[in-house]
Amino acid sequence: MATFPVINLEKLNGAERSTTMDKINDACENWGFFQVLNHGIPHDFLDTVERLTKEHYKKCMEQRFKELVASKALEGLQAEVTDMDWESTFYIRHLPQSNVAEIPDLTHEYRNVMKEFAVKLENLAEELLDLFCENLGLEKGYLKKAFNGSKGPTFGTKVSNYPPCPTPDKIKGLRAHTDAGGIILLFQDPIVGGLQILKNGEWVDVPPMRHSFVINLGDQLEVISNGRYRSVEHRVMTQTQGSRMSIASFYNPGSDAIIYPAPALVENEAEEKKEWYPKFVFEDYMKLYAGMKFQAKEPRFEAMKATATA
């Protein structure tokens, strides 16, 4: 089986730029996921993010999760649970307006570090979007502009922990789904694994790798690229040993952004491919996604198409 793509972004600055761009393009077309190293975010800063996130979970969220498990009778599962996930999470909104000051229980240091983390991740997301533009033959800035609603893009971070689970065969950490939005940047636990992606009908492990980011493409990039790039189903498996940290940052279109295939990528397509992806307002897609997250994406596209026609 092919190896999960790992891309050294430092190589974009030298003789290997062309090869590296090809690797990024191949990952976007055939995997929907890849891992990046040497991304410009200092390792000691990422170590601080990891330390504070794990401290916050231990101090503020671990006991709550144990109480939730007890209240939902999830401790000694006999049958598979398909309507819940074994995860403890909180969400920080960065753009268009930050809510980090309003989130309870964060220390002053953690709050400030997550503000800085958001700035660094926003920059990395926009750098990657421009690399995608280059590979797709779109003008620089096209994807960022496509994501801009009247207030710019939407950007937020889901901070999750997947605690040890006594019955990993009965419940997922996170059920299989594709991501609804644009580009997702995941800073994950360097030791405890669990993330898997679906490739050619088989589940492939995404290996933990210290100081890296796992990048994946959401449904909106599939639409804008007219299917050249794909959003891919992924899931998190539970483990009996170790708690897995996951910090996923979602750089998405603004709520009122109008999403549709880039005209430059449609004009040379066969007639049936020209009409495969719908045109819609991102917020409308998210409303639909809320009820269909853990289902295949194609019916969502069809539903949006039907709405547009109506």
Side-chain angles (χ1 to χ4, degrees):
M1 175 170 287
T3 311
F4 186 82
V6 178
I7 293 164
N8 180 354
L9 294 183
E10 213 168 42
K11 292 189 174 180
L12 289 168
N13 301 320
E16 295 181 64
R17 178 181 172 82
S18 178
T19 309
T20 306
M21 289 297 288
D22 287 346
K23 284 182 181 175
I24 293 171
N25 194 55
D26 180 73
C28 292
E29 288 185 349
N30 297 307
W31 289 81
F33 271 79
F34 56 96
Q35 201 149 206
V36 296
L37 301 171
N38 296 318
H39 38 64
I41 299 176
H43 290 180
D44 58 349
F45 177 75
L46 293 178
D47 290 339
T48 301
V49 172
E50 180 185 345
R51 173 179 61 80
L52 293 173
T53 299
K54 290 181 173 179
E55 285 174 2
H56 176 263
Y57 173 72
K58 277 279 180 199
K59 183 183 173 188
C60 302
M61 301 188 74
E62 187 173 45
Q63 186 56 37
R64 283 182 222 162
F65 184 75
K66 288 176 179 174
E67 290 167 6
L68 174 71
V69 166
S71 71
K72 301 284 186 183
L74 296 175
E75 281 163 321
L77 293 171
Q78 301 298 313
E80 187 174 1
V81 174
T82 57
D83 61 349
M84 280 186 69
D85 301 307
W86 187 272
E87 66 172 354
S88 168
T89 68
F90 68 96
Y91 191 82
I92 304 172
R93 187 178 66 247
H94 310 303
L95 296 174
Q97 196 168 354
S98 174
N99 71 344
V100 71
E102 300 152 29
I103 294 171
D105 303 326
L106 302 186
T107 64
H108 179 70
E109 182 187 13
Y110 192 24
R111 228 179 274 278
N112 285 338
V113 163
M114 291 311 283
K115 281 184 195 172
E116 191 178 345
F117 183 74
V119 172
K120 292 180 187 302
L121 267 286
E122 182 187 349
N123 290 337
L124 180 58
E126 291 177 355
E127 285 170 25
L128 289 166
L129 288 175
D130 275 343
L131 295 176
F132 298 168
C133 285
E134 189 176 332
N135 273 332
L136 289 165
L138 299 171
E139 66 184 74
K140 186 175 181 180
Y142 181 93
L143 289 170
K144 182 184 176 185
K145 192 175 173 186
F147 281 19
N148 275 352
S150 58
K151 297 176 183 174
T154 308
F155 186 43
T157 297
K158 178 187 175 189
V159 181
S160 307
N161 270 277
Y162 298 94
C165 176
T167 53
D169 57 327
K170 298 290 190 288
I171 188 168
K172 301 285 187 298
L174 183 59
R175 288 160 285 166
H177 63 289
T178 66
D179 288 324
I183 183 171
I184 300 86
L185 305 94
L186 169 67
F187 178 47
Q188 67 166 345
D189 200 282
I191 297 167
V192 182
L195 177 62
Q196 295 183 329
I197 70 166
L198 192 62
K199 174 140 175 79
N200 300 330
E202 292 185 20
W203 289 102
V204 177
D205 291 325
V206 177
M209 194 176 288
R210 190 174 290 281
H211 301 140
S212 72
F213 282 91
V214 176
I215 309 299
N216 74 284
L217 313 183
D219 295 346
Q220 309 311 304
L221 280 179
E222 178 168 335
V223 172
I224 296 170
S225 71
N226 201 42
R228 251 188 71 181
Y229 290 175
R230 314 287 292 190
S231 61
V232 167
E233 231 177 298
H234 52 286
R235 67 186 185 183
V236 176
M237 303 302 285
T238 46
Q239 315 286 333
T240 55
Q241 301 293 319
S243 186
R244 175 178 176 267
M245 175 197 78
S246 164
I247 306 176
S249 296
F250 298 79
Y251 186 102
N252 291 344
S255 58
D256 60 353
I258 298 170
I259 303 300
Y260 54 91
L265 301 180
V266 176
E267 57 192 23
N268 296 323
E269 295 283 7
E271 210 54 47
E272 64 274 9
K273 186 85 190 289
K274 286 184 179 181
E275 298 178 5
W276 174 242
Y277 291 99
K279 180 177 184 177
F280 52 84
V281 176
F282 179 62
E283 186 175 31
D284 293 341
Y285 187 84
M286 290 305 292
K287 286 174 184 170
L288 184 72
Y289 181 83
M292 299 175 74
K293 175 177 178 176
F294 299 109
Q295 299 173 34
K297 63 189 169 184
E298 289 79 10
R300 297 197 291 266
F301 293 150
E302 287 298 326
M304 294 312 296
K305 208 185 293 185
T307 305
T309 307

Coordinates of all heavy atoms in Angstrom, one line a residue, residues 136-168:
L136 N -3.4 24.3 -9.4 CA -4.7 24.2 -10.2 C -4.7 25.1 -11.4 O -5.6 25.1 -12.2 CB -5.9 24.5 -9.2 CG -6.2 23.5 -8.2 CD1 -7.2 24.1 -7.1 CD2 -6.9 22.3 -8.8
G137 N -3.7 26.0 -11.5 CA -3.7 26.9 -12.6 C -4.6 28.1 -12.4 O -5.0 28.8 -13.3
L138 N -4.9 28.4 -11.1 CA -5.7 29.6 -10.7 C -4.8 30.7 -10.3 O -3.7 30.5 -9.8 CB -6.7 29.2 -9.6 CG -7.7 28.1 -9.8 CD1 -8.3 27.7 -8.5 CD2 -8.7 28.5 -10.9
E139 N -5.3 32.0 -10.5 CA -4.5 33.1 -10.1 C -4.2 33.1 -8.6 O -5.1 32.6 -7.8 CB -5.1 34.4 -10.5 CG -6.4 34.7 -9.8 CD -7.1 35.9 -10.3 OE1 -7.7 35.9 -11.4 OE2 -7.1 36.9 -9.6
K140 N -3.1 33.6 -8.2 CA -2.7 33.6 -6.7 C -3.8 34.4 -6.0 O -4.3 35.5 -6.4 CB -1.4 34.3 -6.6 CG -0.9 34.3 -5.1 CD 0.5 34.9 -5.0 CE 1.0 34.8 -3.6 NZ 2.3 35.4 -3.4
G141 N -4.3 33.9 -4.9 CA -5.3 34.5 -4.1 C -6.7 34.1 -4.4 O -7.6 34.5 -3.7
Y142 N -6.9 33.3 -5.5 CA -8.2 33.0 -5.9 C -9.0 32.3 -4.8 O -10.2 32.6 -4.5 CB -8.2 32.1 -7.2 CG -9.6 31.8 -7.7 CD1 -10.2 32.6 -8.6 CD2 -10.3 30.7 -7.2 CE1 -11.5 32.3 -9.1 CE2 -11.6 30.4 -7.6 CZ -12.2 31.2 -8.5 OH -13.5 30.9 -8.9
L143 N -8.4 31.3 -4.2 CA -9.2 30.5 -3.2 C -9.5 31.3 -1.9 O -10.6 31.3 -1.4 CB -8.4 29.2 -2.8 CG -8.3 28.2 -3.9 CD1 -7.3 27.1 -3.5 CD2 -9.7 27.6 -4.2
K144 N -8.5 32.1 -1.5 CA -8.8 33.0 -0.4 C -10.0 33.9 -0.7 O -10.9 34.1 0.1 CB -7.5 33.8 0.0 CG -7.7 34.7 1.2 CD -6.5 35.6 1.5 CE -6.9 36.5 2.7 NZ -5.8 37.4 3.0
K145 N -10.0 34.5 -1.9 CA -11.0 35.4 -2.3 C -12.4 34.7 -2.4 O -13.4 35.2 -2.0 CB -10.7 36.0 -3.7 CG -11.5 37.2 -4.1 CD -11.0 37.8 -5.4 CE -12.0 38.8 -5.9 NZ -11.5 39.3 -7.3
A146 N -12.3 33.4 -2.9 CA -13.5 32.6 -3.0 C -14.1 32.3 -1.6 O -15.4 32.2 -1.5 CB -13.2 31.3 -3.7
F147 N -13.3 32.3 -0.6 CA -13.7 32.0 0.8 C -14.3 33.2 1.5 O -14.9 33.1 2.5 CB -12.6 31.4 1.6 CG -12.3 30.0 1.4 CD1 -12.7 29.3 0.3 CD2 -11.5 29.3 2.3 CE1 -12.4 28.0 0.1 CE2 -11.2 27.9 2.2 CZ -11.7 27.3 1.0
N148 N -13.9 34.4 0.9 CA -14.3 35.7 1.6 C -15.8 36.0 1.4 O -16.2 36.2 0.3 CB -13.5 36.8 1.0 CG -12.2 36.9 1.7 OD1 -11.9 36.3 2.7 ND2 -11.3 37.8 1.2
G149 N -16.5 35.9 2.5 CA -17.9 36.5 2.5 C -17.7 38.0 2.8 O -16.7 38.6 2.6
S150 N -18.8 38.6 3.2 CA -18.8 40.0 3.4 C -17.9 40.4 4.6 O -17.4 41.5 4.8 CB -20.2 40.5 3.7 OG -20.8 39.9 4.8
K151 N -17.6 39.4 5.5 CA -16.7 39.6 6.7 C -15.5 38.8 6.6 O -14.8 38.5 7.6 CB -17.5 39.3 8.0 CG -18.7 40.2 8.2 CD -19.5 39.8 9.4 CE -20.8 40.6 9.6 NZ -21.6 40.1 10.7
G152 N -15.1 38.3 5.4 CA -13.9 37.5 5.3 C -14.2 36.0 5.6 O -15.4 35.6 5.6
P153 N -13.2 35.2 5.8 CA -13.4 33.8 6.0 C -13.9 33.5 7.4 O -13.9 34.4 8.3 CB -12.0 33.2 5.8 CG -11.1 34.3 6.2 CD -11.7 35.6 5.8
T154 N -14.3 32.3 7.7 CA -14.6 31.8 9.0 C -13.4 30.9 9.4 O -12.9 30.1 8.7 CB -15.9 30.9 9.0 OG1 -16.9 31.6 8.4 CG2 -16.3 30.6 10.4
F155 N -13.0 31.1 10.7 CA -11.8 30.3 11.1 C -12.0 30.0 12.6 O -12.3 30.8 13.4 CB -10.5 31.2 10.9 CG -9.3 30.4 11.2 CD1 -9.0 29.1 10.8 CD2 -8.2 31.1 11.9 CE1 -7.9 28.5 11.0 CE2 -7.0 30.4 12.1 CZ -6.8 29.1 11.7
G156 N -11.8 28.7 12.9 CA -12.0 28.3 14.3 C -11.2 27.0 14.6 O -10.7 26.3 13.7
T157 N -11.0 26.7 15.9 CA -10.3 25.5 16.3 C -11.1 24.7 17.2 O -11.6 25.1 18.2 CB -9.0 26.0 17.0 OG1 -8.1 26.7 16.1 CG2 -8.2 24.8 17.5
K158 N -11.1 23.4 16.9 CA -11.7 22.4 17.8 C -10.6 21.7 18.5 O -9.8 21.0 18.0 CB -12.5 21.4 16.9 CG -13.2 20.2 17.7 CD -13.8 19.2 16.8 CE -14.3 18.0 17.6 NZ -14.7 16.9 16.6
V159 N -10.6 21.8 19.9 CA -9.6 21.2 20.7 C -10.3 19.9 21.3 O -11.3 20.0 22.0 CB -9.2 22.2 21.8 CG1 -8.1 21.5 22.7 CG2 -8.7 23.5 21.2
S160 N -9.7 18.8 21.0 CA -10.3 17.5 21.4 C -9.3 16.7 22.2 O -8.1 16.7 21.9 CB -10.8 16.7 20.2 OG -11.6 17.5 19.4
N161 N -9.8 15.9 23.1 CA -9.0 14.8 23.7 C -9.8 13.5 23.6 O -11.1 13.5 23.7 CB -8.7 15.1 25.2 CG -7.4 15.8 25.3 OD1 -6.4 15.2 25.4 ND2 -7.5 17.1 25.4
Y162 N -9.1 12.4 23.2 CA -9.7 11.1 23.1 C -9.1 10.2 24.2 O -8.1 9.7 24.0 CB -9.5 10.5 21.7 CG -10.1 11.4 20.6 CD1 -9.3 12.3 19.9 CD2 -11.4 11.2 20.2 CE1 -9.9 13.1 18.9 CE2 -12.0 12.0 19.2 CZ -11.2 13.0 18.6 OH -11.8 13.8 17.6
P163 N -9.8 10.1 25.3 CA -9.3 9.4 26.5 C -9.2 7.9 26.2 O -9.9 7.4 25.2 CB -10.3 9.7 27.6 CG -11.1 10.9 27.1 CD -11.1 10.8 25.6
P164 N -8.5 7.1 27.0 CA -8.5 5.7 26.9 C -9.9 5.1 26.9 O -10.7 5.6 27.7 CB -7.6 5.2 28.0 CG -6.8 6.4 28.5 CD -7.7 7.6 28.2
C165 N -10.2 4.1 26.1 CA -11.5 3.6 26.1 C -11.5 2.1 26.3 O -10.7 1.4 25.7 CB -12.1 3.8 24.7 SG -13.8 3.1 24.4
P166 N -12.2 1.6 27.3 CA -12.2 0.1 27.6 C -12.8 -0.8 26.6 O -12.5 -2.0 26.5 CB -13.0 0.0 29.0 CG -13.9 1.2 29.0 CD -13.1 2.3 28.2
T167 N -13.6 -0.2 25.7 CA -14.3 -1.0 24.7 C -14.1 -0.4 23.3 O -15.1 0.1 22.7 CB -15.8 -1.1 25.0 OG1 -16.4 0.2 25.2 CG2 -16.1 -2.0 26.2
P168 N -12.9 -0.4 22.7 CA -12.6 0.3 21.5 C -13.3 -0.3 20.3 O -13.5 0.3 19.3 CB -11.1 0.2 21.3 CG -10.7 -0.9 22.2 CD -11.7 -0.9 23.3

